[in-house]
């Protein structure tokens, strides 16, 4: 009888009671006409006479304990009920709406990651204007007047009579939404003397029809290092270091000869990162780079006889797509929370 009572009590206390119905069911199971304690009380008569008083007392003590537990449950249910009722004013339109925490946009995450790796090897960040003169976007970068990138079908120009505060143009000089961050190379070199090691992130614009890999607005990170005796080896090892830090030590980087008006020699850089799943299995073109063309150094009054440098420019979206396995660049701009929430 003793253990039976203990079992009944501990089972009762272990029963989940969150609603009035559950409370009633538990009560009936213990104290109702066929409840376990009622049945035991009824069975008292069958016990030997001398055992009855003690057994009776034990049953009563268990009933009291059960009763206490049932009352505690009752109170808990009542206060939970009250909380729900008190919680109701959440729907009061005069209260401020609960604001979910925002997250960092994946492009900003990737940009900051790249900048912090480059900062660790001495590249200081500078910001240039998104609207810039043809001089900085093209001419000082050794880009001839008939270069296809200068055509209005590639680059967005402002109407010729537009005056932009703070931007002083030569007579008849076009002003554009910059098509690349290379314009910042010129601005930095005009302001500072070598040696310099800078990186410039920012938004660029090209007249591209949107598809899975193009949008008319995108982001680049430009790098520039000018000093004595800078070589292609410095360029290659800087990019090797950057991409191994960013994408993992197994990442491979290769150079392919290319042409840019402002670097000589010029390269396109391909990446391979097998460990990044499907996107990493093949060589992917990732960015352009090269040794700063002597013509560019002359345009900013640097002496190409004593100075040399390298420059590179990479698309942030492209790297984010590889890093996160995103198959369509437009996901970065449509602000669908189902997409964005995966990065915060
Ligand atoms: N500006 C080039 C582009 O947008 C990239 C680049 C930057 C190439 C610096 C060489 C050096 O394609």
């Amino acid at each position: 009888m003793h253990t039976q009572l203990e079992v009944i009590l501990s089972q009762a206390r272990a029963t989940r009671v969150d609603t009035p119905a559950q409370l009633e069911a538990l009560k009936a199971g213990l104290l109702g006409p066929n409840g376990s304690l009622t049945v035991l009380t009824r069975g008292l008569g069958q016990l030997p006479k001398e055992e009855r008083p003690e057994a009776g007392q034990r049953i009563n003590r268990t009933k009291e304990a059960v009763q206490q537990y049932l009352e505690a449950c009752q109170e808990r249910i009542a206060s939970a009920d009250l909380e729900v009722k008190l919680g109701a004013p959440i729907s009061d339109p005069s209260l401020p709406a609960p604001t979910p925490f925002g997250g960092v946009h994946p492009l900003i995450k990737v940009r900051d990651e790249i900048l912090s790796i480059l900062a660790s090897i001495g590249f200081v960040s500078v910001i240039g204007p998104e609207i810039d003169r043809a001089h900085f976007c093209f001419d000082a970068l050794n880009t001839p007047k008939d270069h296809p990138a200068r055509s209005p079908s590639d680059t967005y120009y402002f109407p010729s009579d537009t005056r932009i505060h703070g931007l002083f143009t030569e007579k008849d000089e076009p002003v554009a939404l910059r098509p690349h961050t290379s314009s910042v190379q010129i601005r930095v070199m005009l302001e500072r003397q070598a040696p310099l090691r800078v990186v410039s992130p920012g938004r660029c614009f090209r007249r591209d029809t949107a598809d899975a890999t193009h949008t008319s607005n995108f982001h680049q990170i430009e790098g520039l290092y000018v000093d004595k005796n800078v070589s292609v080896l410095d360029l290659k090892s800087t990019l090797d270091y950057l991409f191994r830090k960013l994408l993992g030590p197994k990442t491979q980087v290769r150079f392919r000869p290319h042409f840019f008006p402002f670097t000589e020699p010029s390269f396109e850089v391909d990446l391979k990162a097998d460990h990044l799943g499907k996107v990493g299995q093949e060589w992917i073109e990732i960015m352009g780079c090269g040794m700063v063309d002597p013509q560019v150094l002359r345009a900013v009054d640097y002496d190409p006889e004593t100075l040399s440098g390298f420059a590179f420019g990479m698309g942030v979206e492209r790297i984010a797509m590889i890093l996160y396995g995103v198959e369509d660049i437009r996901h970065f701009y449509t602000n669908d929370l189902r997409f964005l929430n995966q990065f915060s």
Side-chain angles (χ1 to χ4, degrees), residues 179-182 185 206 218 220 222-223 260 262-263 266-267 287-290 311-314:
H180 55 183
T181 42
S182 299
Q185 288 185 32
R206 283 182 202 173
F218 60 100
Q220 283 192 338
E222 189 85 11
F260 295 105
F262 33 91
T263 45
S266 303
F267 308 98
M287 61 188 283
C289 68
F312 57 82
M314 68 187 94

Side-chain angles (χ1 to χ4, degrees), residues 211-228:
D211 62 22
T213 51
H214 297 85
T215 45
S216 50
N217 153 110
F218 60 100
H219 297 78
Q220 283 192 338
I221 294 179
E222 189 85 11
L224 175 69
Y225 174 34
V226 184
D227 203 343
K228 289 181 181 137

Side-chain angles (χ1 to χ4, degrees), residues 110-138:
V110 171
R111 181 199 69 185
D112 288 352
E113 184 76 32
I114 292 170
L115 292 184
S116 88
I117 297 168
L118 290 170
S120 76
I121 50 171
F123 285 83
V124 176
S125 285
V126 293
I127 301 289
E130 292 171 0
I131 299 171
D132 214 345
R133 297 168 46 190
H135 177 73
F136 293 119
C137 294
F138 300 118

